[in-house]
Amino acid sequence: PPDLLTRTSMGNSGSCVVTPPLLLVGVRVKRGPDWKWDDQDGRGEGVIVGSDASGWAKVKWDRSGDTNLYRVGQGGSHDLEVASSYEKLVDILYAGQGPPCGSKITAGDATPGTRVVRGPDWKWGLQDGAGRGTIEGPSQMRSGWVKVRWDYHAINRFDYRVGTDDCYDLARCTAEAVSCRAGHALLPFVKPPGSGGNVCDKCSKIIPNGDRMHRCQTCDYDFCPECYRSAMPQQAAAGAVVTAASVREGVRVKRGPDWTWDDQDGDGEGVIVGSNSNGWARVKWDCSGKTNSYR
């Protein structure tokens, strides 16, 4: 699933304190290490319902229904810990940041190679890594289902409904992801305070711990917020030809109008991993893992 938090920070100890990046409506909380507010919480859980102008968290407690304000790093103090499950927290953090989606995928347009995201009837939790995938063909086990390989899993394939029982698990992906050099989508990530900062692999800026960024956990590849935003236009221009000015590592590509290279691409997609001395783009293809240079 998306590495918005490390799994170790959401262990049984419940030691993940609420920091500003986690100050989101819907996150469930309980008293944290610097709690000093007697029994305002009823010694139970509550839910973040907002924040005030100073950045304190506004929490409504389950047992009393009362709403109070709490510190989420002010003066180095953390009154709250995360009580939501890891999976629920991922859903909250990813809300509004998911891949843009278009029309639902039906059996008639579920062609191999179609890029997809979760659709209107999705019920499969984090099988998709909250990201994008590619239809590989009809399911061999169930009629009215298709098999999808999700970018995050790379190897695992799963079956989804494309009209069975009037349910549609998939929607068409309308914009591609910013990717690492290996072509894995960079996903929202928050590293808990105290665990050390990360370095942006694009601009080399240090990303302080506790700050939001985008990351490929598999390849240890990170983008700071500024570099992620600057990379988005190149990813969103689906169908545009790649020019010398738009050759950037991580941009996903497919064969263009002047392709003369037979089936080097496996008639699929790849990712730009650099350029050579002549300015040709070097592309690593998904199907074979081989790298070739192109105009």
Side-chain angles (χ1 to χ4, degrees), residues 62-76:
D62 294 348
R63 291 184 178 174
S64 66
D66 292 340
T67 301
N68 304 97
L69 296 170
Y70 302 97
R71 301 165 296 177
V72 290
Q74 291 83 356

Side-chain angles (χ1 to χ4, degrees), residues 54-117:
S54 300
W56 286 43
K58 186 180 295 185
V59 176
K60 182 175 181 179
W61 296 107
D62 294 348
R63 291 184 178 174
S64 66
D66 292 340
T67 301
N68 304 97
L69 296 170
Y70 302 97
R71 301 165 296 177
V72 290
Q74 291 83 356
S77 296
H78 297 85
D79 293 325
L80 305 170
E81 289 182 358
V82 173
S84 293
S85 68
Y86 179 84
E87 286 73 17
K88 178 63 175 175
L89 186 58
V90 167
D91 286 341
I92 294 170
L93 285 166
Y94 206 82
Q97 300 185 59
C101 64
S103 57
K104 64 186 180 184
I105 297 292
T106 66
D109 54 19
T111 56
T114 300
R115 295 287 285 167
V116 295
V117 296

Side-chain angles (χ1 to χ4, degrees), residues 62-263:
D62 294 348
R63 291 184 178 174
S64 66
D66 292 340
T67 301
N68 304 97
L69 296 170
Y70 302 97
R71 301 165 296 177
V72 290
Q74 291 83 356
S77 296
H78 297 85
D79 293 325
L80 305 170
E81 289 182 358
V82 173
S84 293
S85 68
Y86 179 84
E87 286 73 17
K88 178 63 175 175
L89 186 58
V90 167
D91 286 341
I92 294 170
L93 285 166
Y94 206 82
Q97 300 185 59
C101 64
S103 57
K104 64 186 180 184
I105 297 292
T106 66
D109 54 19
T111 56
T114 300
R115 295 287 285 167
V116 295
V117 296
R118 60 174 65 180
D121 298 311
W122 181 265
K123 67 171 186 177
W124 309 104
L126 294 171
Q127 276 186 2
D128 61 345
R132 300 157 176 80
T134 303
I135 292 177
E136 295 201 334
S139 168
Q140 301 300 311
M141 304 294 294
R142 293 176 278 196
S143 176
W145 295 58
V146 295
K147 189 175 296 295
V148 173
R149 175 177 58 83
W150 297 107
D151 294 351
Y152 192 83
H153 292 283
I155 297 176
N156 295 334
R157 277 76 168 167
F158 300 95
D159 291 345
Y160 300 100
R161 300 166 296 177
V162 289
T164 297
D165 298 326
D166 200 29
C167 291
Y168 301 88
D169 293 323
L170 306 172
R172 191 175 300 277
C173 179
T174 59
E176 275 302 336
V178 180
S179 307
C180 71
R181 292 188 179 96
H184 307 131
L186 300 186
L187 301 172
F189 180 88
V190 176
K191 198 167 186 181
S195 56
N198 289 50
V199 176
C200 175
D201 285 287
K202 182 64 177 177
C203 70
S204 300
K205 183 181 80 174
I206 295 177
I207 308 169
N209 53 6
D211 281 10
R212 290 193 183 212
M213 57 181 168
H214 283 74
R215 173 174 175 80
C216 171
Q217 185 80 351
T218 302
C219 301
D220 190 23
Y221 190 86
D222 307 312
F223 266 20
C224 68
E226 293 77 13
C227 288
Y228 185 82
R229 283 194 295 269
S230 68
M232 284 301 290
Q234 280 70 28
Q235 300 295 329
V241 296
V242 177
T243 65
S246 60
V247 172
R248 299 186 60 169
E249 293 182 9
V251 175
R252 290 193 63 81
V253 296
K254 59 183 180 181
R255 62 171 66 180
D258 300 311
W259 180 267
T260 61
W261 310 103
D262 298 325
D263 289 328

